[in-house]
Structure formats: structure tokens, C-alpha cells
Amino acid sequence: MSTQGRNVRRGGLAAALVAAASFSVRAQPPPPTPTVTVADYARAERFMPYNTTPLVLHAAGRVTWVSDKGRERFWYRTTTEKGAEAIIVTAEDGSKSACDLAPCRAAVESGGGGRGGMSTRLDAPSPDGKRTAFIRDWNLWVRETAGGKETALTTDGVKDFGYATDNAGWTRSDRPILVWSPDSKKIATFQQDQRRVGEMYLVDTAAGHPTLQAWKYPLPGDDTITMIQRVVIDVETRRIVRLQMRPDQHRSTLCDDVACRGEWADVQWSPDGSTVAFVSTARDHRREQLRVADAATGAIRDVLEEKAETFFESGSGGVSWRYLPASNEAIWFSERDNWGHLYLYDLASGQEKQAITSGEGNVTQLVRVDEKNRQLYFMAVGWERRRDPYFRHLYRIGMDGRSLQLLTPADADHDVTMSPSGRFFVDTYSKPDAAPITELRDADGRLIATIEQADISKLAAAGWKPPMPITVKARDGATDLYGLMYRPTTFDPAKKYPIVNHIYPGPQTGSVGSRTFSSSRGDAQALAELGFVVVEIDGMGTPWRSKKFHEAYYGNMGDNTLPDQVAGMKELAARYPWIDLDRAGIYGHSGGGYATADAMFRYPDFFKVGISEAGNHDNRVYEDDWAEKWQGLLQRKADGTTNYDNQANQLVAKNLKGKLLLAHGTLDANVPPNNTLLVVNELIKANKDFDLLMLPNRGHGFGNEPYMVRRRWDYFVRHLLGAEPPHEYEMHSTTRAASQ
């Protein structure tokens, strides 16, 4: 046979062998799809908060101080082997007994926390307890405690121009916003002008005609937004004194509402009720003015002004400025030197007298001013070297900046409540991986008694393990970032685990949140139980570090700390070979929902699966105060673009490659559902596959609803783990789960 013939035969034989091999490969059955069982879900569910919280005993709830015949006492709620109990403690010696006060009984019976539901009341009691103020038909009224007589203090309030109302933007409440004078004779409040302000609309889902919800909801760039006209009301004479100034912005120095946590803290009375001090905040939060008003005439005197290049905040958790008319001084909080510090000012001249605190680390909240002894008590973070920079501690310092003293020595995060007199404080301290201890101390920091020490033995016996604190480098390769990592309690370092990022990008808080102990942080550990490594990383642009750190992405909210999240996850994967970075997922709610979709669009080759819940995907259709504080005032350019384009998720939705689940409540009054529908519309235009879950008649807080949790687990199990979840698993309580 010729060489050519042999080559043909060899070629034919080779082709036949290749074909046979191909047929052999094709003939093999596909590998079985891994499954995650009902038992796996039940095991994971054991780590949900409603199952783990009852396993923690002797943890002290929120403290409430009471005065009784000259004694200072406080009470709190706890769970013991006998069930819920309320305990009252005498501060002088730390002696404890069962609390039989009405608020104590109410707290135990309702299963509530320390204040027995007082935070939900819709009236504002006077300091002397003889009257309480409330809103009726857009006007402010008072009711006598004895006898119940009611009197209208104002009569000209009308819809959209009412007194003491707080129903603008995402906050809608019938609780009056006001501050009583110390002698209970006057009220500082405002008439809120919402006339000609744009509205937001929602409709419910029901058989028949839907019910329309319509309320005032100003947006960034609106020409007319909610304003307040400040007034002082004499309760006895019903005389209304309007402060001699232009209408003020519906803003505060601390949060994205005129009142923060129900308190209008940017208004402070003099002890005799003759003057009232307040801070006017500019629309973009970049200019603050401390002012003093004459309560009888309404005359205004400007004391000091501060301007910020990005945004101003007066602390964290509570405003940290104080009006001190007795010494003709004021304490002012500022981040002018890149850290949050306290300064002493002269009220008459408005000039700074001296810095009280200084150096690296932040004052987070001014707790108490002891004017007689000229001492300040304050919470701060980052002052103790070689400790977690997010741990809060209580300090005391003289107004002259001397004699600084740490009053809470333990290396932990401290939650402190001072007594009304300032002679005592209760300190509950813990870490994410260390159970809380509650102590009673005097004003000098001396230990009086250990009140409670939490028992987590039942929690540990149930298999609980604490999250792992982690430190990684930020996008710049130099800045330390802190977070938590959750692994399955059945963790095997020989296996490879998909990594899931649970994100909240800020700017007002971060992914981890409080550094206090918690038996469950949402469903992070529960999700990890299904075969994932879950991480939470506080990236640049979140608070409690330096001002430069906090303003890292000011004016560019589309950043969403994502460069830091990616850098941190890559570092963790390089450090721990059991992390599979090729299977990276992300999820979050509200701002976390916004960041999640953003991650899927801006890092489509890195994040493979995302679950975006209730996201504010374009802050041009979100409440004005929040958006304008962090993104700046809306500026429209000649070419039709705006400075808000860099944060609009729908403009980058076409980049989607992975699996994305969008979820939103149809009655979300915080982040209206059109935020998500803007993204949906662009995904459809781009011919992208995605999943959408609209939850009828749900508001903003559906993220912990059992159905949403189950769908979230299913989505990651199916698309990131590559397994089939149990069909329509039903979330159970501990009792029912134990019977499975």
C-alpha cells in the first residue's frame, strides 16, 4: 500500500477513534444535581433570631431610670430560667428586687423592652407631668393629666400647614415634634409648610377599587420642599410667638428628618425658659447656624456658623452641641480637623475659646454636661489603641481639655445609660463574640455592682459559634477595614465554599452595624449553614472612622463601597483557600438592595448571583433630605445629564450577566417601588433575564419575613451552590423545628 493510502487509513482510524470517544463522553449520564434537604434548612433555621434569642439568659434589656423618694433607681427586663422578669435596682448599693411598677408589668406582659412601649405614644408630656401635648386636626392641643380637660393652643393650622407635624418624606407620624421649656410653661415647635410640595402615591392590592395613599414627599431638585416656621407657644395664655426669621429647612444636624429617634434635639431651652437655642441646617447639610431666640419677642441672635465642604453631622446617636446660658458658653461639635471633637465657644462673641478634645478618634455623643464641676461625659470610638476602632467607650474630661479619664475600661463595645443626676451610670459591654455583662458604676467609674452576666450556655449547646472578626485592606491597599465572617458550624477546611457578601454601604451606617453581642445577626449565620461563607465588611464611605473615610464617595453614591468589598473579598480568598471566589454572591436590603444591584451591574464578572431587596436604585426618586446630604443638590447640565447620573442603577443595568433577584414591597413608603421598576424597565430594554418578586401590601421591612428569607436561601442554593433546595420549605419556630 502506498504511503498516501496508509496515511488515509490512519486518518480515518483517528477520526473514528475521536468520534467514538466523543460518543462515549456524550453517552455518559450527567452527574447528579446536588440537593439541599429539608433537614439542612431546618438546621440552618435554628440560627435565626427567633430561635437563638430565647437561648440567651440573664442579659439585661434597656435601662429606664426612675426617681423614688430621693433615691435613684433603674429597672430593666431580662429572661431567666423562669421566663421574662423585670428587675429594679437601687443605685446607691446595687441591691436588686422584682419590679412591680406599672411600666415593668407592661413590659413583661407584652414581651417588650425596657420602656414598656412608651416610645410609640403619640403625645408629649410636660416635664412636671401636669399636661401632655398632642396634634388634632393640624393644630396643637394640650390635655390636663388630672381631669382630662383639653385646650387648643393653635387654631389656624390646616392640612399641609399644621403645627408640630412630622409627615414629610419617608417619615409619617402623628406624634408632635416639640420641646417643652423646663418650667412646663412654654413649647418650642413649628408650623410645617408642605403647601405646593410634590406628592408620592401608593395603591394597595385588594379586590375592587384600590385605596390610594397620597402624601407629601419632596425629591432632590424640587423647587418647593417642606419648610418649617419656628414658633414658641405660651401654654397658659395660648400666645404664639413667631421667631423673627425666614422659614427654616426641614433638616437636622444628625439624621435625615427634623427629629431623630423621636427627639427634636436641635432645640434646647435655657433653664428659666426665657431663651431657646437651635441650629438651622442648610438644605444640603453643608452650613450650620447656632442661634438663640428670645422666647417673649421672637428676636434672633446668630451665635456661630460652620460650613463643610461635603456634609456636617453633630455626632452619632444624639446631637453633641449644648447651650450653656448660665456661663454664657456653648459646646460645639465639629469634624473640621478630620475627627469629631468638642469645642468651647463664647455665646456673646461666637468665638472659639478652646478645643476640649483632640487627636485621632471620634467623639460620637456628648452624654452629659456637669456645669457645676465643668466636666463633660461623652462616648467616643477609636481612642483606645490596639482595640477595635468601632468599640464605644465612656470618658470624662474637663471643659478646659484636661483630666481625661476612661470610665469603661473593658476591651469591648459599651452601651451606657447615665442616671438623671449624673451620679451613676449603667454599662452593658460586649463583643460580637463575647456575651454582654451589665455593671453599675458611679460617676468616677468605680464599680458598685455587677447587675447581670449573660448566660449563653444553652446557645452554645445548640451548636452556635460566634462570627469571626476580620480585617482587610481597602481599595487603596493601605486602609484597614473591619468586618465579620460567618462559616458553617460544620465547617471543613478541605472543602471549597461560595462566598456571599451581606452589604449595607452607608453612608449613615455600615454592613456590620453595632459591635454589641447578638445571638443572630439577621440570617447571616443561618445562610452560612447551607454551605456558604458570609462576610460583612464596613467599607470606605461609612461612619465612625475619620471624616475623610466617611466622605470617601460623597457625590458618587454609585460607588457603594463596592471597590472595597471586592478588594476585601479577594484578600480573604487569597488568605483562606476554602473560599471559592469564582462563586461570589451578594445581597442586601434598602441601601443594601441598591448596592447589590449596583454590584451586579458594575462588577458583572465578579459577582455571579445577587438578591436586591427594596433598593433605592435612583435617589432622584428618593426622599430629598437623605439624597441631598450624601449626593449634593441636583444640578442639571446643558446636555441633559445631571450630577446624579453616576448613582442611577438603571443607567448601568444593561451590564448584567449573572443571576439577579429584585424584590420590593408594593406599599413601601420609605423607598417607593418605582425605584425597582426603573431598573426592571431598563433590564427589559436590554433583553436581560432576571427575576422579580413584588410583595403585595408590604412596606419597607419585609426582608425578615419568612417567605423572603426562604426565597433568598433558595436563590443562593440554586444559583450559587448549584444545588436544588427543598420545595417550598416552611419556616418554623424552635418547637416545631425540633419535631421535624
Side-chain angles (χ1 to χ4, degrees), residues 228-264:
I228 59 174
Q229 297 183 14
R230 298 179 183 266
V231 300
V232 170
I233 303 174
D234 188 300
V235 177
E236 293 291 343
T237 65
R238 291 183 287 170
R239 177 172 176 256
I240 300 175
V241 177
R242 293 189 179 270
L243 303 195
Q244 298 175 23
M245 58 182 290
R246 295 173 62 85
D248 228 342
Q249 296 288 339
H250 182 269
R251 299 286 188 268
S252 77
T253 65
L254 191 65
C255 67
D256 53 335
D257 187 32
V258 70
C260 305
R261 299 183 180 180
E263 182 183 11
W264 195 26

Side-chain angles (χ1 to χ4, degrees), residues 478-494:
T479 304
D480 284 334
L481 304 178
Y482 297 82
L484 296 174
M485 180 162 62
Y486 308 80
R487 296 175 297 174
T489 57
T490 57
F491 174 74
D492 181 354

Side-chain angles (χ1 to χ4, degrees), residues 156-216:
D156 61 334
V158 295
K159 185 179 184 296
D160 300 329
F161 197 28
Y163 286 91
T165 58
D166 186 28
N167 55 357
W170 67 267
T171 299
R172 290 191 289 169
S173 171
D174 294 325
R175 176 180 38 80
I177 305 302
L178 55 85
V179 180
W180 284 89
S181 62
D183 60 9
S184 301
K185 293 181 179 180
K186 300 183 184 71
I187 291 174
T189 187
F190 52 77
Q191 191 171 9
Q192 182 176 244
D193 190 356
Q194 300 183 98
R195 297 169 297 181
R196 297 178 295 280
V197 172
E199 293 187 331
M200 184 60 65
Y201 307 102
L202 296 172
V203 293
D204 65 353
T205 300
H209 294 287
T211 300
L212 174 68
Q213 294 184 25
W215 75 102
K216 298 298 182 178

Side-chain angles (χ1 to χ4, degrees), residues 405-606:
Q405 182 181 354
L406 172 64
L407 300 177
T408 52
D411 181 5
D413 181 68
H414 296 262
D415 186 6
V416 172
T417 306
M418 294 203 76
S419 69
S421 71
R423 294 173 55 205
F424 310 98
F425 65 88
V426 177
D427 173 25
T428 298
Y429 60 92
S430 65
K431 300 180 183 181
D433 55 356
I437 297 173
T438 299
E439 296 176 341
L440 172 64
R441 294 178 178 265
D442 67 15
D444 293 321
R446 289 187 291 263
L447 178 66
I448 297 173
T450 298
I451 303 302
E452 295 286 356
Q453 186 163 354
D455 179 359
I456 61 170
S457 57
K458 288 187 175 181
L459 185 66
W464 178 87
K465 293 181 181 178
M468 176 192 298
I470 55 174
T471 304
V472 295
K473 296 298 182 182
R475 66 189 76 182
D476 59 8
T479 304
D480 284 334
L481 304 178
Y482 297 82
L484 296 174
M485 180 162 62
Y486 308 80
R487 296 175 297 174
T489 57
T490 57
F491 174 74
D492 181 354
K495 293 183 178 180
K496 297 281 281 188
Y497 294 90
I499 183 170
V500 177
N501 188 308
H502 180 212
I503 188 170
Y504 194 93
Q508 81 281 16
T509 187
S511 297
V512 175
S514 171
R515 261 58 181 183
T516 58
F517 175 86
S518 178
S519 61
S520 292
R521 291 173 173 266
D523 70 334
Q525 183 60 49
L527 179 61
E529 284 300 301
L530 297 176
F532 303 96
V533 169
V534 179
V535 295
E536 296 169 331
I537 301 171
D538 285 338
M540 297 177 69
T542 56
W544 290 36
R545 304 288 293 278
S546 68
K547 182 67 159 64
K548 182 179 179 181
F549 185 99
H550 193 189
E551 63 188 14
Y553 65 83
Y554 172 81
N556 181 25
M557 283 198 291
D559 177 286
N560 270 315
T561 81
L562 293 174
D564 299 315
Q565 306 299 324
V566 172
M569 293 168 72
K570 287 181 176 179
E571 181 178 338
L572 290 172
R575 187 185 308 170
Y576 302 115
W578 31 265
I579 291 178
D580 185 357
L581 202 61
D582 290 330
R583 292 184 291 167
I586 186 168
Y587 76 105
H589 192 91
S590 193
Y594 169 44
T596 293
D598 196 24
M600 298 297 293
F601 303 151
R602 296 185 192 271
Y603 295 87
D605 295 317
F606 184 85

Side-chain angles (χ1 to χ4, degrees), residues 18 124 135 228 262 302 359 378 381 383 474 522 558 612 662:
V18 169
I135 297 171
I228 59 174
D302 289 336
F378 62 93
V381 296
W383 286 35
S612 168
L662 297 164

